Amino acid sequence: MADTTLWTRQPGFFLYTVYTAIKALVKLPLLMLLYTIPRFRPLREWTHQQAFARALTRLIFEYASVVEFSPAQCHEPGKEKDRFVTIEPFAPSQNDQEQKPSIYAGIAKPDPDAVKPATIGGTWFPSPLSPDSPSSRAHTPRRPRPRVFLHFHGGAYVLFDCRDRDMSFGARLLLGAASGSDPEAAAAAAYVLCPQYRLASHAHPSGGRFPAALQDAITSYAHLVLRLGVDARDVVLSGDSAGGNLALALLRYLEETKVLPLPGGAVLWSPWTDLGVPLAELRARREDRLDIVPPLLVEWACRVFLPEKLGDGYEGAKVCENPYISPVKRGIETEVPIWVQIGGTEIIKEDILRWVEVQKQAGARLRVYEIPNAPHDMFMAGEGLGFVKECGQAAEDAIRFLDGRE
């Protein structure tokens, strides 16, 4: 369990909450008035809504980072009802003649005294997929099998969830782009499964340090392929921010271990590609005054997510050098097509572009799509920040890329 600070415990938590409330009551009305004049907005190209929404979002993230406010995770269906499912981890199959190896191998191998596979939740969009769904049947030219997007939500491994409140906008992006303009295909064009992988913070004493999220990603992918009978070629790994980091870790794992077949593609939104960037460097970047992500959130996330050591020889400060944690350190040798979106003003833009070059050197088929003037993580924040049209166009570009219609 991570060390807590003064502001994560009472009475510090209460005091900082009161301070933030007073700060918001004073600062936000002033900004709302100030931003009516374009020259006073952080970026002239932003609308009044975009400038104000960015300020509000940044304030919320700063508060959450200081008090380390992480959402509780539960396996109750809630308002998602039958769209929320629980997914059990996999155990090796055994009989008298054969013992199949565990799907959790190498860096994801369970540690009896620490991190091991656990039961997780997940939310389906627009409805649950079952073995009888079209994706599990033979396809025809008239009704091809739909894609199944396995989407890992963002939040720096400490925030957000798989529920509607965080994922509905992004899921609509994927489903809408996949259905296109064909009304007959719209009903079965795609499904989205968003797993509730374990978070890492003091609010989760069961432990969410690496490789907990990777184990949960393996569980959810195997659930699609082994339990539901989805053809792996119909699965698209998807993720925003930390979820993009997790999608890349899963793709690397599948390529290196060969324990499960490869997916048909990967779609990444502002993926977190380098967890080793110093806090001072992040604060010095021009984008820090334009983005929604405060460097303090990155500091908190790394402190509670990174393990003290890894089984492959990376220890201490070198943990973040592991390519499973910082994919910029080594490209993935894969033929799986990768589409990646970046925001023009996001603080980790240069890290993503460094990873793009590393991945190109590994021979990957890769496409980069930039949303100009956009902050970090449009998949989750695009609606609230006023980039709905731009996000829709990005999702459509991703589908064209996956279809080979570049």
Side-chain angles (χ1 to χ4, degrees), residues 207-222:
R209 289 187 181 272
F210 184 91
L214 177 57
Q215 291 174 347
D216 298 343
I218 297 166
T219 296
S220 56
Y221 184 77

Side-chain angles (χ1 to χ4, degrees), residues 248-272:
L248 285 172
L250 176 58
L251 179 58
R252 185 184 301 275
Y253 179 83
L254 295 173
E255 283 284 4
E256 293 186 354
T257 64
K258 312 297 183 185
V259 295
L260 292 165
L262 294 173
V267 172
L268 312 173
W269 303 75
S270 297
W272 194 9

Side-chain angles (χ1 to χ4, degrees), residues 107-382:
I107 202 165
K109 186 177 181 180
D111 184 339
D113 299 322
V115 179
K116 51 188 176 183
T119 299
I120 62 173
T123 303
W124 281 102
F125 302 86
S127 60
L129 185 145
S130 71
D132 296 325
S133 299
S135 139
S136 303
R137 305 189 210 126
H139 68 286
T140 66
R142 182 173 179 80
R143 180 169 288 276
R145 290 189 305 258
R147 283 195 174 95
V148 180
F149 292 91
L150 181 61
H151 183 83
F152 303 106
H153 68 82
Y157 288 111
V158 293
L159 295 172
F160 302 122
D161 206 342
C162 67
R163 308 279 183 160
D164 289 354
R165 62 179 175 266
D166 295 325
M167 286 290 98
S168 61
F169 171 68
R172 292 198 308 271
L173 285 179
L174 297 176
L175 295 172
S179 65
S181 58
D182 183 358
E184 292 187 4
Y191 293 84
V192 178
L193 173 62
C194 184
Q196 182 179 271
Y197 61 84
R198 284 168 285 178
L199 299 179
S201 79
H202 69 276
H204 302 278
S206 58
R209 289 187 181 272
F210 184 91
L214 177 57
Q215 291 174 347
D216 298 343
I218 297 166
T219 296
S220 56
Y221 184 77
H223 177 73
L224 293 178
V225 176
L226 301 182
R227 290 197 181 116
L228 298 184
V230 177
D231 190 321
R233 294 169 297 179
D234 295 329
V235 178
V236 176
L237 304 184
S238 178
D240 62 286
S241 191
N245 177 283
L246 182 54
L248 285 172
L250 176 58
L251 179 58
R252 185 184 301 275
Y253 179 83
L254 295 173
E255 283 284 4
E256 293 186 354
T257 64
K258 312 297 183 185
V259 295
L260 292 165
L262 294 173
V267 172
L268 312 173
W269 303 75
S270 297
W272 194 9
T273 58
D274 190 353
L275 276 67
V277 179
L279 190 63
E281 180 179 335
L282 289 175
R283 286 175 170 158
R285 291 179 179 177
R286 167 184 174 271
E287 291 82 5
D288 183 35
R289 69 179 186 84
L290 301 172
D291 204 4
I292 61 175
V293 177
L296 190 60
L297 173 59
V298 176
E299 188 277 332
W300 168 33
C302 289
R303 174 163 46 83
V304 297
F305 172 70
L306 295 178
E308 294 181 2
K309 61 180 180 178
L310 292 172
D312 57 358
Y314 291 88
E315 297 182 359
K318 294 183 179 180
V319 164
C320 61
E321 300 291 319
N322 188 291
Y324 275 96
I325 290 174
S326 293
V328 73
K329 300 304 179 182
R330 189 177 74 233
I332 305 171
E333 296 183 4
T334 183
E335 295 183 359
V336 175
I338 303 173
W339 180 93
V340 57
Q341 177 267 325
I342 58 176
T345 64
E346 64 175 302
I347 196 170
I348 62 170
K349 177 181 177 179
E350 64 181 78
D351 305 325
I352 300 173
L353 292 177
R354 283 192 294 113
W355 164 79
V356 167
E357 292 306 313
V358 170
Q359 194 57 51
K360 284 181 177 178
Q361 292 174 12
R365 178 185 163 216
L366 188 145
R367 178 174 175 83
V368 179
Y369 186 96
E370 180 172 344
I371 300 180
N373 304 322
H376 181 67
D377 199 352
M378 288 294 94
F379 187 90
M380 183 177 293

Side-chain angles (χ1 to χ4, degrees), residues 27-151:
K27 182 178 181 179
L28 294 179
L30 291 176
L31 290 180
M32 182 175 290
L33 179 62
L34 187 65
Y35 290 162
T36 58
I37 305 173
R39 65 188 295 257
F40 291 136
R41 297 168 192 166
L43 200 65
R44 281 175 176 261
E45 291 80 2
W46 284 347
T47 65
H48 180 271
Q49 175 200 350
Q50 289 170 338
F52 181 77
R54 177 263 170 196
L56 175 60
T57 306
R58 174 83 174 213
L59 181 64
I60 293 172
F61 280 154
E62 287 175 347
Y63 168 76
S65 302
V66 171
V67 302
E68 299 187 7
F69 181 81
S70 192
Q73 293 179 302
C74 72
H75 293 162
E76 296 299 322
K79 69 176 184 179
E80 288 75 21
K81 298 181 180 179
D82 66 336
R83 292 189 297 110
F84 185 87
V85 295
T86 54
I87 304 172
E88 298 292 335
F90 286 73
S93 300
Q94 300 184 48
N95 54 43
D96 295 338
Q97 290 79 30
E98 178 185 20
Q99 179 176 339
K100 296 181 180 179
S102 171
I103 63 171
Y104 311 99
I107 202 165
K109 186 177 181 180
D111 184 339
D113 299 322
V115 179
K116 51 188 176 183
T119 299
I120 62 173
T123 303
W124 281 102
F125 302 86
S127 60
L129 185 145
S130 71
D132 296 325
S133 299
S135 139
S136 303
R137 305 189 210 126
H139 68 286
T140 66
R142 182 173 179 80
R143 180 169 288 276
R145 290 189 305 258
R147 283 195 174 95
V148 180
F149 292 91
L150 181 61
H151 183 83

